[in-house]
Amino acid sequence: MASLGPTLSSTISCLNLLAELSHNHNTIRIFRALSCNLKPQKSSYHRRLFKSSFSSANSKSSTSNCSKTLGSVLVFNDNLVVLGIETSCDDTAAAVVRSDGEILSQVVSSQADLLERYGGVAPKMAEEAHSQVIDQVVQDALDNANLTESDLSAVAVTIGPGLSLCLRVGVQKARKIAATYQLPIVGVHHMEAHALVARLCDRDLQFPFMALLISGGHNLLVLARDLGHYLQLGTTIDDAIGEAYDKSAKWLGLDLRRSGGPAIEELARQGDAQSVKFSVPMKQHKDCNFSYAGLKTQVKLAIESKNIDAGIPFPSASIEDQRLRADIAASFQRVAVLHLEERCERAIQWALEIEPSIKHLVVSGGVASNQYVRARLHEVVARNSLQLVCPPPSLCTDNGVMIAWTGIENFRLGRFDPPPPAIEPDGCQLDLRPRWPLGEEYGRGRSVARSMRTARIHPSLTSLTQASEYQNS
C-alpha cells in the first residue's frame, strides 16, 4: 500500500485542487489539447511537479520515477472524453463518456457463471476472470464509441473500495493505457461513483443531496455536501442488504446467474409477505446504521423449519415446496426493505437539520435496481417532501459509465494524476484501497461496535479532500 504521505498529497488523485480552475467552467486547465482540434490561444506552459497517488511506498526514487513534470494548456472548451474502467468486484466494465453527459459506449462482462458455481464471489477466481477479459472489454468500449486511445482526454479507474486482487487488474490496465498514450489518470472511489452517476442522469441534481448506496458489500447513508465532501449518517455494522439477498437466494435454491437480488424479487411476487414473521433488525437502536446478519439467520432457520432442500433447484421442487420458498422470499424482502425505510426516514430528518436545502434522495448501487425497493423508498421521500432520484438499472449495478463520469467531475476540478512512467520502477506499488471510507462519521450515527471491529486502512475520501484543500489554500 502507498504510504500516508503520498496519499495525503492527493484526494483520489487530487493533485492540484482548484489551484488553476477558473470560476468560468468553460475554462479548464488540462494536460493536453483535446481531440476536438481546438488550439490554445497561447503556447505558454506552466510547469509543476505532481505526485502520483499510484506512487511507490517502498522506493526512495518513487517521487522522481512515478511522478512527472508536465505542462498544462489553457483550453477554452470542456469537451472531455473519458474512459472509465471498473473491476472492484465481480463485473469487468468499461465505458466512454463525454463531459456533456453523452454515453458513447458501455460494456460489461459478467461473472454470473462463477457466482453460480461458487455461491458467491471467490476473489482469486474473480481476479482471473477479470484478467482474461479486461483487454477485450476495454477494446470493445473504444470500438463501440468509434474512438481510439488517442482521442481520449483521460482515463478513470476504480482504486477502492473493493477486492484488492480485482482492483489491481483494472488499475494496471488503466496505467498501461495512460502511460502509452500520455493520458492523465483519475483514481475513483467506487461508492462516490454510485452517488455521482445520478448527476449524469439528472443534470438538475445539485449539491447538497442525500444518498442511499446499497449493494452486495455496502449499505451507506450519506449527506453529499459537495464533490469529495460526504458526511456518513449510517452504514452497516455487519452485512449489507445485497449480501442478505444473495445468501437467501442461495439457501432457497434459486438461479444465481443474475445474482440473488433479482431472483428473490421475482420469487417474492408469488409469495405472501406476511406469512413468515421475521423481526425487523435494530428496532431498539435509534440511529441510521444497518444490520442484516440477524435477518440472514432468521431466513436460514425458517428454511430449515420448513424442511426445504436447497439442493433441489426451485423449478424441480414440488408445488407446495415452491409456495413455501416464495412465502419466505416475500417475507424476507418485506422486512429487509422495511429496515431500509426506517433508517432512511431517520436519516432524512438528520440531514434536513444539517442542510435544510436538501431536495433529493439518490438511491443507487446494485440493490437500487429492485423495483420493490424503489417503490417503498418513493413513499418515504414523498412523506418528507423530497424527490427520489434513481439511475436506470444498468447504471445501478457496477459499470464503467459511473467511473468515467466521476472521473470527469474530478478532472474538472484538477483532481487527476499525470501519465504514469512508460516503465514502472522496481518496487513501485499500486495504490489500491480495498477498505476506504467515503465520508466522516456523523456523531449521532457513530457505531461503537463497528468502530472497534473495523480498522480503517485508509483515511476517508472526505478527509483527504479536506487535507488537500487546506494544503492548496
Side-chain angles (χ1 to χ4, degrees), residues 23 28 111 166 184 193 272 278 436 451 462:
H23 291 292
I28 308 287
Q111 297 182 12
C166 298
D272 178 1
F278 294 131
W436 187 17
S451 297
T462 297

Side-chain angles (χ1 to χ4, degrees), residues 36-298:
C36 54
N37 296 322
L38 289 175
K39 296 182 179 179
Q41 289 188 346
K42 295 183 178 180
S43 60
S44 60
Y45 287 78
H46 303 274
R47 302 185 67 80
R48 179 182 297 100
L49 181 65
F50 293 88
K51 290 183 180 179
S52 171
S53 67
F54 297 99
S55 61
S56 168
N58 301 329
S59 174
K60 291 182 179 180
S61 62
S62 63
T63 300
S64 59
N65 288 338
C66 292
S67 305
K68 192 170 183 178
T69 304
L70 296 175
S72 62
V73 182
L74 187 62
V75 178
F76 294 89
N77 193 284
D78 188 15
N79 187 20
L80 305 174
V81 180
V82 173
L83 168 68
I85 298 175
E86 156 64 27
T87 62
S88 66
C89 190
D90 58 337
D91 285 331
T92 312
V96 180
V97 179
R98 288 192 185 276
S99 54
D100 63 1
E102 182 183 2
I103 300 172
L104 300 181
S105 66
Q106 179 181 5
V107 179
V108 180
S109 176
S110 172
Q111 297 182 12
D113 291 340
L114 288 178
L115 290 175
E116 185 182 30
R117 186 186 313 167
Y118 295 101
V121 179
K124 186 60 181 175
M125 298 299 102
E127 177 200 22
E128 292 179 3
H130 284 306
S131 299
Q132 290 171 5
V133 301
I134 185 66
D135 290 341
Q136 190 61 53
V137 166
V138 170
Q139 190 59 54
D140 286 348
L142 291 169
D143 291 345
N144 293 348
N146 294 316
L147 298 173
T148 67
E149 292 87 346
S150 300
D151 298 314
L152 298 172
S153 308
V155 180
V157 61
T158 305
I159 63 173
L163 301 172
S164 292
L165 292 174
C166 298
L167 290 167
R168 183 178 303 278
V169 176
V171 170
Q172 287 177 332
K173 179 63 176 179
R175 287 178 63 80
K176 181 178 180 180
I177 294 173
T180 303
Y181 295 91
Q182 287 297 284
L183 296 168
I185 187 167
V186 185
V188 171
H189 191 294
H190 181 81
M191 300 312 293
E192 182 180 42
H194 272 306
L196 294 185
V197 73
R199 283 165 51 85
L200 169 64
C201 304
D202 184 346
R203 303 305 290 275
D204 294 327
L205 178 63
Q206 300 295 321
F207 295 104
F209 60 85
M210 274 194 64
L212 171 65
L213 309 177
I214 41 179
S215 64
H218 301 275
N219 259 77
L220 277 177
L221 270 166
V222 297
L223 170 57
R225 291 173 140 168
D226 203 348
L227 188 66
H229 292 269
Y230 303 93
L231 184 63
Q232 179 182 295
L233 303 175
T235 187
T236 181
I237 64 172
D238 42 55
D239 294 329
I241 186 172
E243 160 71 8
Y245 266 98
D246 289 342
K247 282 296 190 291
S248 297
K250 177 182 178 182
W251 296 332
L252 288 169
L254 304 184
D255 185 351
L256 296 179
R257 284 176 294 180
R258 296 180 302 157
S259 81
I264 289 284
E265 182 183 12
E266 181 178 339
L267 181 59
R269 297 192 188 104
Q270 307 172 33
D272 178 1
Q274 302 293 334
S275 62
V276 184
K277 303 303 180 184
F278 294 131
S279 299
V280 180
M282 298 182 71
K283 290 286 286 187
Q284 72 279 19
H285 295 277
K286 305 305 179 183
D287 57 30
C288 300
N289 292 313
F290 303 89
S291 171
Y292 283 97
L295 181 57
K296 279 171 50 181
T297 301
Q298 292 183 67

Side-chain angles (χ1 to χ4, degrees), residues 306-348:
K306 304 293 185 182
N307 295 317
I308 294 173
D309 184 0
I312 301 175
F314 181 81
S316 303
S318 67
I319 299 299
E320 176 62 18
D321 190 76
Q322 289 183 357
R323 183 186 64 79
L324 291 174
R325 297 190 199 200
D327 287 347
I328 292 174
S331 299
F332 157 76
Q333 179 166 255
R334 179 184 68 83
V335 173
V337 178
L338 183 57
H339 187 33
L340 285 182
E341 294 176 57
E342 292 180 349
R343 275 18 210 176
C344 281
E345 194 91 49
R346 182 174 293 113
I348 288 172

